[in-house]
């Protein structure tokens, strides 16, 4: 095995350090296994309670009326996430689309959207449309926007949030759970609960929307279990379990889910239509796999944090920190380091390993960006991928890993490429 590993590009130094890192993380790994086990039980019970059967996998064409699979999957998601209702659809083209439908569901013209975790994820800026948005943005529908930055500690600024919800125009509070691709830290579900309690004790009428992307199954509860009115996420991230070929979901209060469905399709049609085109089994099987897949991705991230910090790089979160998403950030210190790391991840991928990532000027960024992803499902970030803006401090964002073995080996190969510089 050792020689095969050297042959594949793993250096002796990285191999030795890796076995120490794995030993030191044994307890962390078993904590993650326990989370995966508890979440698997929850999913198994929902599959049984909601009578998932072979008949759910048939799928529909055309209008997609009376799609047993689609309706059953909605119930399974709602049950697992402790929500009244859920809408799981291939027609959500990505997480941004699902979050956008959740926001439109939670707001009326004349109200204000208040983001309490600072600036939201990049792609949501166009949805909000602040500063002269495009047709169909929240702004163009007469909805205002305001923001409370995160506190210096990295958590939510509860005092400032309590002040801001005093403005009676605020109709919706928006919380982003994951750090996304930024330096801020991820909020735990318990921190999200503190925000919700602070908001609801002043203004029980406010709808709380949580961007749950990358968070599902990293803990044993979700924001809907602690009072979020609606959560949204992407199926090519955690809840798709690596099998869902596309899609997104929203889950929460039944009236809000109905409004989100009317936004996804159109008023009067809502969630009653939407052919599943024979993809149903993958959505069910993916959700069944998801607690395990997320556990494997978390172990990969924790191992990555341990190995890279052992090699002297700054990482966030640290290997022993509590996690509430699957994202790992590492400061690789130089353009060469960042690009070599991403090239190592690409070279280790099961798909497109022969492709060489090149930094490029991606629209919406103020510098070049390098990206590595060799995934079965295009753009799937529950599968191992890494990327980063090529500017100081040369941050790499690493996430995913369908199996711990493949994730760990890929990280080892990428770390070997960096340290060879
Ligand atoms: C991925 C992600 C989204 C949505 O991104 P899509 O690419 O549209 O799926 C939104 N918020 C956060 C924090 C994310 O990580």
């Amino acid at each position: 095995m050792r020689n095969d590993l050297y042959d594949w590009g793993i250096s002796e130094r990285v191999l030795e350090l890796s076995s120490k890192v794995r030993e030191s993380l044994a307890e962390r790994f078993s904590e993650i296994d326990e989370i995966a086990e508890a979440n698997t039980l929850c999913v198994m019970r929902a599959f049984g309670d909601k009578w998932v059967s072979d008949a759910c996998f048939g799928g529909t064409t055309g209008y997609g009326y009376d799609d047993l699979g689609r309706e059953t999957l909605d119930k399974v998601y709602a049950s697992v996430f402790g929500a009244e209702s859920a809408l799981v659809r291939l027609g959500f083209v990505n997480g941004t689309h699902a979050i956008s439908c959740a926001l439109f569901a939670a707001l009326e013209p004349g109200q204000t959207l208040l983001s309490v975790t600072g600036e939201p994820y990049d792609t949501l800026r166009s949805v909000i449309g602040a500063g002269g948005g495009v047709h169909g943005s929240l702004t163009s529908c007469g909805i205002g926007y305001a923001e409370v930055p995160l506190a210096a500690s990295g958590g939510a600024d509860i005092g400032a949030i309590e002040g801001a919800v005093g403005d009676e125009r605020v109709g919706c509070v928006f919380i982003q759970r994951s750090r996304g691709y930024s330096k801020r830290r991820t909020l735990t579900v318990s921190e999200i609960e503190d925000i919700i309690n602070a908001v609801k004790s002043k203004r029980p009428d406010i709808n709380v929307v949580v961007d749950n992307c990358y968070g599902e199954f990293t803990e044993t509860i979700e924001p809907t279990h602690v009072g979020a009115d609606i959560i949204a996420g992407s199926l090519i991230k955690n809840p798709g379990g690596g099998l869902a070929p596309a899609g997104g979901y929203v889950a929460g209060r039944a009236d809000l889910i109905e409004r989100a469905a009317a936004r996804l399709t159109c008023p009067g049609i809502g969630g009653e239509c939407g052919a599943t085109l024979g993809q149903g089994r993958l959505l069910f099987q993916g959700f069944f796999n998801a607690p395990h897949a997320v556990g494997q991705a978390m172990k990969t991230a924790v191992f990555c944090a341990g190995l890279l910090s052992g090699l002297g790089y700054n990482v966030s979160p640290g290997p022993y920190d509590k996690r509430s998403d699957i994202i790992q950030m590492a400061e690789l210190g130089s353009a060469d380091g960042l690009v070599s790391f991403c090239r190592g991840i690409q070279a280790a991928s099961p798909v497109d390993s022969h492709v060489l990532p090149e930094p490029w000027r991606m629209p919406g960024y103020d510098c070049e960006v390098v990206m590595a992803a060799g995934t079965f499902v295009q753009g799937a970030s529950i599968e191992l991928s890494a990327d980063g803006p090529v500017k100081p401090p040369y941050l790499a964002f690493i996430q995913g890993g369908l199996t711990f073995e493949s994730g760990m080996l890929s990280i080892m190969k990428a770390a070997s490429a960096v340290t060879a510089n």
Side-chain angles (χ1 to χ4, degrees), residues 99-185:
I99 296 162
S100 168
C101 291
L103 290 174
F104 276 97
L107 284 152
E108 303 279 359
Q111 291 186 326
T112 296
L113 165 65
L114 178 71
S115 168
V116 297
T117 44
E119 231 177 78
Y121 194 71
D122 276 357
T123 55
L124 289 172
R125 285 182 215 155
S126 315
V127 172
I128 295 165
V134 292
H135 180 79
S137 65
L138 289 166
T139 304
S140 81
C141 295
I143 291 166
Y145 177 70
E147 212 168 84
V148 176
L150 289 167
S153 65
D157 188 341
I158 299 283
I161 294 170
E162 283 171 338
V165 298
D167 180 339
E168 65 186 22
R169 285 169 300 183
V170 173
C172 168
V173 157
F174 175 75
I175 300 169
Q176 181 181 310
R177 175 175 176 177
S178 167
R179 71 189 312 150
Y181 302 110
S182 72
K183 285 187 85 169
R184 63 157 272 201
R185 71 172 176 78

Side-chain angles (χ1 to χ4, degrees), residues 54-61 64 67-70 275-281:
D54 195 47
C56 295
F57 307 150
T60 47
T61 53
D67 188 307
L68 177 69
R70 192 187 65 215
T276 47
L277 307 171
Q279 302 301 307
R281 179 181 60 82

Side-chain angles (χ1 to χ4, degrees), residues 93-99 120-124 174 176-181 184 211-214 233-237 247 327 379 381:
V93 299
N94 54 24
T96 305
H97 186 197
I99 296 162
Y121 194 71
D122 276 357
T123 55
L124 289 172
F174 175 75
Q176 181 181 310
R177 175 175 176 177
S178 167
R179 71 189 312 150
Y181 302 110
R184 63 157 272 201
D211 169 356
N212 207 30
C213 280
Y214 283 134
S234 163
L235 300 196
I236 63 168
K237 294 180 181 172
I327 300 187
S381 39

Side-chain angles (χ1 to χ4, degrees), residues 48 57 101 130 149 153 214 217 241 266 280 384 399 408:
F57 307 150
C101 291
S153 65
Y214 283 134
F217 298 127
C266 62
L384 185 65
Q399 60 277 315
M408 176 189 67

